[in-house]
Amino acid sequence: MAAADARPPVEDWATDYDIFDPSYCSDPGPIWADLRDRCPIAHSERWGGSWLPTRYDDVAEMARLVPALSSVEFIVVPPVPLRDPETGEVLRARPYAPPISSDPPFHGVARRLILPAFSPQAVAAHEPYTRELAHRLIDGFVGEGGCDGAVDFAQQIPPRVIAHLMGLDENRGDDFIQWVRGILELGATDPELRVATGLKMFAFWAEEIAKRRAQPGDARGSGGVPHGDFISWLLAGDLDGQPVDDNHAMSVCNLLLIAGIDTTWSSIGSALWHLATHPDDRQRLVDEPELLPTAVEEFLRVYSPVTMGRLATEDVTVDGVTIPAGSRVLMNFPAANRDPGQFPDPDTVVIDRAHNRHVAFGIGIHRCAGSNLARMEMQVALSVFLERIPEFHLADTRGPHLPPGTPDPTVIWAGGQVRGPRTLPLTFSTAH
Amino acid sequence: MKVRVDPDKCQGHNRCYSLAPELFDVDDYGYATAAGDGTVPAELVGKAKLAAANCPEFAVIIDDEG
């Protein structure tokens, strides 16, 4: 990231943190530990200015300060208006993605519209497809003796599962990957790319929605549980008795695609990174696959991908720190999940950790609506990978034990809003 | 032992349901309730405690402990 390299180095993380600094992206744990002890809520003027809590209790308290900490601005950098390229008309002053961008009371209305598509029962309907997809991806590289665990596997699953869920063409998966990176990852530090990508997505949804208005797809399901054409199901829904208009439908579709893709691929990638660098944990999951559900929660805790934004609508005091009205707050769920006050030995992955109130999916009214889908994708992806390729390692011959602060040159981590490996070279025997 | 779910606290994480599907039901929106009258059979006491210890909202409550 050339722009990131050009910035002055951080001297004091408590007053000048940089969430896109490569060292923060690759290994934020030591930074959070330092801030948690001496700060505990950091402030920085970088990237438009923001506040960064690091303690579990502070994050939990802040998640419940609704709407004093409003979700109208939920990304971690200042929003850029989306304009019609020809007329210059402002299409969106800031991202609008209900319910993630909503405060009560509309939040609850917008959330009820989509929740049935993500209940455990509804998600289970997508498991066979996810399993078949994971096998198909592994078929593509299992004979090669190596793969990029992020690019060839983790990254490929969520876009296709979400396409399957939404009734979209799976073959558009590569476009979806580019779009999501253009919005959340590369676009986070490149506003022009973010706007250009947003316009492409708008055009895509307008077409998909118009098609289904003209001829609704099969949104069949039992007991109101959709597992066919999500977009048609969405269009047939209601918002507290009001019909779902194109603007709302488009915003929800945008949200699903963006929130459902690089979050989950980051989680799958981080888990593969962990297993590639911790042979004992990998072997234990091969020997005791029944531990996988607990292990998935533990991977979610230690490698929580998502940090969400909030906007203070009034002065807010938490843990002795007053955050002025108008400030951006970063809901640091990943740091909360490493708080030793809540989790003994917090930086260690304990495959069978019994007490684990992790907040990787957030906490309070904005709990990730897709958490059951993400959990299913992680469990299926990891179980199929371990079944097909029970022994694998990082291709970097120096192994995982690099000096603290040294980024592993073979594994590139993205961070900011969503943290996870973007390259993950793995080697394995071709005997599988 | 009995389990119950505080409906004012439950946010539909489904951690309880995924750890102890025998003890919890979830509705179409993903919100959890105790299955049946919440009575925990002796062999599921461990799972009930696990569910309570994994709820990020502290919504799973164990009554009549002991």
Side-chain angles (χ1 to χ4, degrees), chain A residues 56 64 111-112 115-116 118-121 223-225 294 297 342 353-359 361-365 367 371-372 375, chain B residues 8-19 25-31 46 49-60:
Chain A
Y56 186 95
R64 296 191 167 92
R111 192 168 165 86
R112 276 192 297 279
L115 279 180
F118 299 99
S119 69
Q121 305 90 314
V225 175
T294 317
E297 302 300 336
Q342 178 66 219
R353 189 183 287 267
H355 288 225
N356 188 355
R357 296 184 203 271
H358 76 73
V359 291
F361 293 115
I363 189 171
I365 63 168
R367 187 269 305 170
S371 60
N372 293 306
R375 186 176 285 132
Chain B
D8 294 330
K9 289 186 176 170
C10 177
Q11 296 290 351
H13 290 259
N14 296 138
R15 297 285 304 281
C16 58
Y17 181 74
S18 66
L19 287 163
D25 290 328
V26 288
D27 66 15
D28 287 345
Y29 298 90
Y31 295 106
K49 290 181 176 171
L50 199 60
N54 281 272
C55 178
E57 309 287 350
F58 292 80
V60 175

Side-chain angles (χ1 to χ4, degrees), chain A residues 161-180:
Chain A
V161 172
I162 206 84
H164 182 76
L165 182 146
M166 295 182 78
L168 301 169
D169 179 2
E170 180 195 302
N171 295 317
R172 295 298 298 267
D174 291 338
D175 289 329
F176 300 160
I177 291 170
Q178 290 312 314
W179 294 351
V180 169

Side-chain angles (χ1 to χ4, degrees), chain A residues 189-204:
Chain A
T189 52
D190 182 349
E192 277 180 32
L193 176 65
R194 215 184 322 159
V195 167
T197 309
L199 289 170
K200 269 187 217 168
M201 296 181 74
F202 260 50
F204 175 75

Side-chain angles (χ1 to χ4, degrees), chain A residues 270-288:
Chain A
S270 295
L272 284 178
W273 178 83
H274 179 85
L275 295 171
T277 53
H278 296 76
D280 292 351
D281 285 342
R282 179 179 47 72
Q283 193 57 46
R284 190 161 179 214
L285 281 181
V286 169
D287 295 340
E288 301 173 71

